[in-house]
Amino acid sequence: MPQVPQTFDALAVRAWCGLALDALGRAREEIDAINVYPVADGDTGTNLYLTLESAATAVEAVFAGHEAGGGGDPGRPTLADAVRAMAHGALIGARGNSGTILAQLLRGMAQVLAGDDAPAHADGTGLGLALRHAADSARQAVAHPVEGTVLTVASAAADAAGGADGDCGAVARAAYEGARTALAETPDRLDVLRQAGVVDAGGRGLVTVLAALVESLTGETPRGPAARGPGPHPRTEAARTVAAPCADDDAPPRPGGPAFEVIYLLEAEDAAVARLRERLDALGDSLVVVGGDGLWNVHVHVDDAGAAVEAGVEAGRPYRIRITHFGTGDAHAPGAERTPAERVQRAVVAVVPGEGLAGLYTEAGATAVLARPGEPPASGELVQAVRRAHAREVVLLPNDAELRHTAAAAAEQVRAEGVRVALIPTRSAVQGIAALAVHEPGRRFDEDVVAMTSAAGATRYAEVTVAERQSWTMAGICQAGDVLGLVDGDVAVIGQDLTETALAVLDRMLAAGGELVTLVVGDGAPESVAERLEARVREAYLAVDTVVHHGGRHGPVLLIGVE
């Protein structure tokens, strides 16, 4: 048996994240299938996976930084470094009600294990205290805690851990067994689970995470929990939808519920967040606000999504806003049967920068994955988008050279699920537009992929942006605030005026010829830039057409494509 740590240190955190991510990947579909509370939208397993993927990525980044000599002890971050990264990664990547609560559980652990007096590694007592604080802080983050949910499972794990003696492995094993027992009892505590004949999906996910903790500390894989509870009505494979009860235990179940799930990150002070909680609690239900130290993750179900976002604007600076419509007859339709829709033959999934381009791609029939500056999608998010497309064949457009490996990992995962996937290595959204323009779902898959790849490859791309700092480039040294014109990924022009730089880039691209110029103009560009560029094409390049698209608030300042 391989040697395993007797204490909880940075290496144990890293191992835990990796094992938990693998375990959630294997259990994701099963957890999705038993998801009936608080909304029966079949995504709890996926949301937990994406949340933990973000946490694991953050931990790996800390280790990579130390291995590169960025820390005091090269190659080995401290326990505090690792748990802070884990908690922060989960916070910024939290998805759904379950993922948001998991993020707070990890944050609660980090507050104990990364405090001012925290040791270099935690013993069994320290791990038990961390699990206790995690459960308590998660319960406090939920506006109206309900028993029979992941909160009950977390509390049971903490209770069992607190009563255990021995090293970290013994404490982790006790926490797992306590959670496993509580999970089996969740249908007795929550009628909606008993009626469906399942255990709580969020609790099932937490038990999976705790099993990975046991394995990381002992090298042994504990026995797994059952997905179904002892209720009298076994859940069918069609996963019928059950009406979700109110968050308040004393209130009767409603026949319906809010139409939207709203999630966003929020930069705000504690006092403003306290007021935000009160306002959002009055707007909807399933309210969970987690975080601290100026950064929060807000989750709520509401009918007025705009009001929920406006409340965030009043409290501070909301960003990475996600609004999901549950759908008529889906999440809140009591007694309805959820029958799987027939797969379409072919779909296109594309990563796009900016809401304007997302709308353009969607109108063209693609499933768009929005990527904001500094927030590239993870492979799990691309996998989720491919599943959402619900097709037998999928063409994947990453539209960014740095996303090629992420997209390849996602493609590999969905191929294992029986979906035929072709990855076209588009490096810019304008190449994706060119590929989408020749897409024909009616022809053979291979022929369609060849045509799309050819169109993308025949499109030169450029971006005009503003330098954030001084740096060396292919065109010389740029200073912060300089306007950069990048052609095919390399800086080709450095200027002071955005429009003049864009004109220089356009001339350089059209010097080699072209038939069509595509301009994607973001909100940060001058109002006249598109008009000036169109005029240059009309005056200097005969027989070249120009198409202009709006990139949106979060998109690049200006993209140029030449076919």
Side-chain angles (χ1 to χ4, degrees):
M1 179 183 298
Q3 187 175 11
V4 294
Q6 298 302 308
T7 56
F8 193 63
D9 59 7
L11 287 175
V13 173
R14 186 186 201 182
W16 180 27
C17 286
L19 290 168
L21 188 62
D22 289 344
L24 283 174
R26 294 190 299 271
R28 181 196 59 77
E29 290 186 358
E30 174 194 327
I31 296 172
D32 283 347
I34 63 172
N35 172 202
V36 298
Y37 182 84
V39 175
D41 48 356
D43 64 357
T44 291
T46 299
N47 287 336
L48 288 170
Y49 178 87
L50 293 173
T51 302
L52 196 58
E53 182 181 46
S54 182
T57 299
V59 171
E60 288 301 323
V62 167
F63 271 85
H66 278 261
E67 289 165 1
D73 181 9
R76 181 67 63 86
T78 65
L79 172 62
D81 292 334
V83 294
R84 283 196 199 103
M86 175 179 65
H88 181 74
L91 177 67
I92 64 174
R95 300 300 185 89
N97 188 75
S98 55
T100 308
I101 292 174
L102 176 61
Q104 186 64 12
L105 287 167
L106 297 180
R107 176 177 171 81
M109 292 186 69
Q111 287 174 324
V112 172
L113 299 173
D116 293 337
D117 300 325
H121 51 76
D123 57 12
T125 301
L127 181 58
L129 290 173
L131 291 170
R132 175 77 274 162
H133 187 66
D136 293 344
S137 61
R139 188 172 287 269
Q140 292 166 7
V142 177
H144 301 283
V146 175
E147 297 306 325
T149 65
V150 62
L151 297 176
T152 302
V153 176
S155 294
D159 291 343
D165 294 324
D167 62 12
C168 287
V171 171
R173 190 178 290 106
Y176 170 76
E177 291 297 340
R180 187 172 181 272
T181 299
L183 176 66
E185 295 172 353
T186 53
D188 297 331
R189 291 173 173 261
L190 198 55
D191 283 345
V192 67
L193 302 178
R194 179 185 55 79
Q195 293 167 11
V198 297
V199 294
D200 179 67
R204 171 69 176 85
L206 178 58
V207 169
T208 300
V209 172
L210 290 173
L213 178 61
V214 174
E215 185 175 358
S216 67
L217 291 167
T218 68
E220 300 173 358
T221 304
R223 54 180 177 166
R228 305 179 189 276
H233 303 294
R235 186 173 177 84
T236 65
E237 289 302 318
R240 64 182 178 85
T241 304
V242 183
C246 294
D248 189 338
D249 284 331
D250 296 327
R254 292 179 297 164
F260 297 96
E261 177 185 58
V262 179
I263 304 174
Y264 50 81
L265 291 177
L266 177 71
E267 293 178 355
E269 299 298 324
D270 290 6
V273 171
R275 294 190 296 270
L276 175 66
R277 289 177 190 269
E278 294 179 2
R279 182 168 178 186
L280 292 179
D281 194 24
L283 284 175
D285 59 29
S286 297
L287 174 62
V288 186
V289 181
V290 305
D293 302 321
L295 180 63
W296 308 81
N297 192 304
V298 179
H299 170 280
V300 67
H301 294 171
V302 292
D303 280 322
D304 190 344
V309 175
E310 289 173 7
V313 173
E314 292 180 7
R317 187 179 79 87
Y319 61 102
R320 200 181 282 192
I321 300 167
R322 296 185 181 92
I323 300 174
T324 303
H325 187 264
F326 290 126
T328 305
D330 180 20
H332 296 286
E337 294 288 331
R338 182 187 297 176
T339 56
E342 180 68 23
R343 285 184 181 272
V344 298
Q345 183 60 32
R346 189 174 309 158
V348 176
V349 174
V351 180
V352 291
E355 295 88 340
L357 276 176
L360 173 67
Y361 272 75
T362 301
E363 288 175 7
T367 298
V369 179
L370 188 60
R372 296 182 176 88
E375 301 175 11
S379 62
E381 190 169 355
L382 298 185
V383 169
Q384 190 178 28
V386 172
R387 291 183 181 128
R388 191 166 66 246
H390 203 57
R392 298 182 183 89
E393 302 167 339
V394 172
V395 179
L396 187 56
L397 306 175
N399 290 339
D400 187 334
E402 295 185 0
L403 284 178
R404 184 171 181 178
H405 295 300
T406 300
E412 191 65 27
Q413 183 171 342
V414 292
R415 285 190 189 109
E417 299 174 8
V419 179
R420 190 179 183 188
V421 182
L423 171 61
I424 298 178
T426 49
R427 294 173 289 175
S428 170
V430 290
Q431 287 189 322
I433 291 173
L436 200 55
V438 300
H439 169 55
E440 291 186 15
R443 63 185 165 197
R444 290 178 57 246
F445 185 63
D446 292 339
E447 293 175 355
D448 198 29
V449 171
V450 168
M452 295 176 71
T453 302
S454 178
T459 302
R460 299 188 69 198
Y461 64 96
E463 179 178 354
V464 179
T465 187
V466 178
E468 296 181 354
R469 63 184 66 87
Q470 182 188 62
S471 62
W472 291 86
T473 76
M474 296 288 289
I477 300 175
C478 73
Q479 305 295 327
D482 284 350
V483 180
L484 306 180
L486 292 84
V487 177
D488 293 336
D490 293 323
V491 176
V493 180
I494 299 176
Q496 301 300 313
D497 180 80
L498 193 142
T499 300
E500 293 302 321
T501 302
L503 288 168
V505 169
L506 179 65
D507 287 336
R508 182 172 296 220
M509 296 180 73
L510 286 174
E515 298 177 356
L516 175 66
V517 172
T518 300
L519 304 175
V520 180
V521 184
D523 285 355
E527 293 183 4
S528 63
V529 67
E531 183 179 340
R532 291 280 305 277
L533 292 171
E534 285 185 286
R536 174 63 63 86
V537 173
R538 285 196 305 270
E539 295 166 2
Y541 303 98
L542 300 177
V544 177
D545 295 325
T546 306
V547 177
V548 180
H549 301 295
H550 178 57
R553 181 178 54 181
H554 295 291
V557 177
L558 176 66
L559 293 177
I560 303 174
V562 174
E563 298 178 46

